Amino acid sequence: MELDPTEPLRISRFTTVTWEVGELVVRNLRTGKALVCDDAALVQVLHWFRVPTSPAQVEASGGARELGVDVIAACRTLKAAGILVRPEQESRPPDVDGALDPSSYWAAPELALQRHSRECRPQTLARYRFEGLTRSEPHAKPPMSATAIALPEPEPAAVDFWQVLVRRRSFSPPTATISLDQLGEFFHWTARSWDARELDDGRVLQHRLYPSAGGLYAHEIYPVVSPAAVEGLAPDVYHYCPQRHALEPLRAEASLIAELVERGASVSAAKGGAKLPLIVLLVTSRIARVAYKYDHIAYVSQLKDVGCLYAYFYLVATALGLAPCAYGGGFETELLAGLTGVDPLSEPIVGEFGLGGLDPAATPEPPWPILSAPRSGDG
């Protein structure tokens, strides 16, 4: 690759430096190219280009000669790998109407996750890398409370599935209190464990209604119940036990409950805060249960599973006349870990969802007509 020694260069924002089995590897996430640092000199070269600098300026400074580095050759290699770029290369153009470079839409951590999750080949998806080193996580989480509140078991109701599909939408904030029966019915048709079977190697697979990678179902759900959310249910953070179809109270401080509900309200731009009849469902993943089989894509698989779970949350809530609303974030795992005592790396939060009741008289009509079929030309 041609290199103009007088042209300023800087480190690409998509550059990472990682330790990989005894080697220091410099990689550009955008190009996918990587260089092994055989000595510390290459790292020093990168350090010089943390701000826009030309190779000629670095050479003139004398530092390169002391290290015995051929700056021009090193910069040529780094530029070819996309590790060094022109200062304007990854910046927004002055003309806001001009086309943006596709990389402009990516944050470096997101691109790293996307790259990492795509590197796996079908024959290496299930690697069982921890087999023989440790036992697989059990399918059921040990009890988290000395007491449990059994949830009612509903009878199947006649529902027009297609009407549920077309009427599904997000509601925020909820406008009414719900009953314990409604909450039990919601969990019964979304997250309950319906069956389990033991494999020859001792691992247990279970069945819930929504799909999960490998039938592992590593999700745990912690409903944060505000004071006005569920009739007859005290405000608290609970753990939903899918095997027993029960809620385990975790005896959370009122201040933590208020903070979590406030966050749920603020994420969805709802006014009313902790006074809202809101249930915040914090979804975690017991990541070791998935990593035992899919260590390379464990976290990504859990995000996909959450998408499946959200679909069931929405459709069941719609069928029951409840107010569902998926959140985009806003909850650090440490907030919940302080209550449960579980290491945040063992059970990170992977999703959050708002739920509540709807007052029919106060429920606005959708901003678009409910259609019996898609309009011609619609996507």
Side-chain angles (χ1 to χ4, degrees):
M1 174 177 281
E2 291 299 320
L3 178 74
D4 179 357
T6 64
E7 179 184 50
L9 299 172
R10 65 165 173 80
I11 300 173
S12 165
R13 67 185 182 92
F14 296 112
T15 294
T16 64
V17 180
T18 55
W19 177 90
E20 298 178 18
V21 196
E23 293 181 326
L24 201 62
V25 178
V26 182
R27 177 179 284 104
N28 184 266
L29 299 171
R30 185 180 178 185
T31 64
K33 295 180 179 179
L35 299 174
V36 176
C37 296
D38 295 322
D39 55 53
L42 187 59
V43 178
Q44 179 61 57
V45 171
L46 285 175
H47 180 74
W48 285 319
F49 291 93
R50 67 194 185 279
V51 295
T53 309
S54 72
Q57 286 176 301
V58 173
E59 274 206 324
S61 69
R65 286 192 297 274
E66 293 177 11
L67 291 172
V69 179
D70 184 340
V71 174
I72 303 300
C75 288
R76 185 177 290 111
T77 301
L78 292 167
K79 187 179 179 184
I83 294 167
L84 291 183
V85 296
R86 298 188 307 276
E88 72 279 3
Q89 199 167 321
E90 295 171 347
S91 302
R92 191 179 185 89
D95 178 9
V96 294
D97 295 324
L100 287 177
D101 185 274
S103 67
S104 303
Y105 301 100
W106 285 89
E110 289 185 326
L111 186 55
L113 181 63
Q114 192 273 341
R115 282 268 184 192
H116 178 76
S117 66
R118 295 292 101 193
E119 288 173 358
C120 212
R121 298 292 181 265
Q123 62 270 24
T124 60
L125 283 174
R127 304 199 298 189
Y128 294 100
R129 186 163 68 88
F130 299 101
E131 195 168 30
L133 299 176
T134 184
R135 294 180 61 84
S136 174
E137 282 267 318
H139 74 288
K141 189 177 176 73
M144 299 190 70
S145 174
T147 60
I149 301 167
L151 293 173
E153 301 200 14
E155 292 294 328
V159 175
D160 186 333
F161 178 69
W162 307 113
Q163 282 300 307
V164 170
L165 285 180
V166 297
R167 290 186 177 278
R168 189 241 31 104
R169 71 187 190 95
S170 294
F171 287 93
S172 184
T175 54
T177 299
I178 69 172
S179 67
L180 191 62
D181 282 357
Q182 286 176 300
L183 184 61
E185 190 166 10
F186 174 81
F187 280 127
H188 179 84
W189 297 117
T190 57
R192 184 175 187 175
S193 180
W194 288 64
D195 192 16
R197 61 186 178 91
E198 186 172 351
L199 303 180
D200 292 339
D201 60 5
R203 291 182 298 117
V204 176
L205 299 183
Q206 56 184 309
H207 176 63
R208 302 181 195 177
L209 295 184
Y210 72 96
S212 173
L216 295 171
Y217 293 100
H219 287 157
E220 301 292 337
I221 302 175
Y222 296 85
V224 182
V225 179
S226 71
V230 184
E231 186 179 352
L233 189 63
D236 201 349
V237 178
Y238 295 85
H239 170 249
Y240 173 67
C241 178
Q243 289 77 27
R244 291 186 289 163
H245 189 48
L247 293 176
E248 298 173 321
L250 301 184
R251 307 285 188 263
E253 296 287 340
S255 58
L256 176 60
I257 299 169
E259 180 179 357
L260 293 173
V261 174
E262 286 272 8
R263 287 194 180 209
S266 63
V267 165
S268 59
K271 297 179 180 179
K275 296 180 181 179
L276 289 171
L278 177 62
I279 306 163
V280 177
L281 305 177
L282 298 179
V283 183
T284 67
S285 170
R286 290 188 294 137
I287 205 74
R289 178 164 171 78
V290 189
Y292 189 86
K293 182 177 182 179
Y294 301 118
D295 70 284
H296 194 66
I297 55 168
Y299 184 69
V300 170
S301 77
Q302 290 308 281
L303 300 183
K304 294 175 181 177
D305 280 10
V306 166
C308 297
L309 180 60
Y310 276 11
Y312 275 69
F313 279 175
Y314 265 114
L315 295 178
V316 171
T318 301
L320 297 177
L322 303 180
C325 184
Y327 299 153
F331 297 84
E332 300 90 358
T333 298
E334 287 73 16
L335 278 173
L336 188 60
L339 174 64
T340 63
V342 178
D343 188 316
L345 290 179
S346 297
E347 197 176 316
I349 291 177
V350 292
E352 42 274 300
F353 198 94
L355 186 70
L358 280 177
D359 178 358
T363 303
E365 286 298 314
W368 56 87
I370 296 295
L371 305 172
S372 58
R375 279 183 271 192
S376 177
D378 285 357

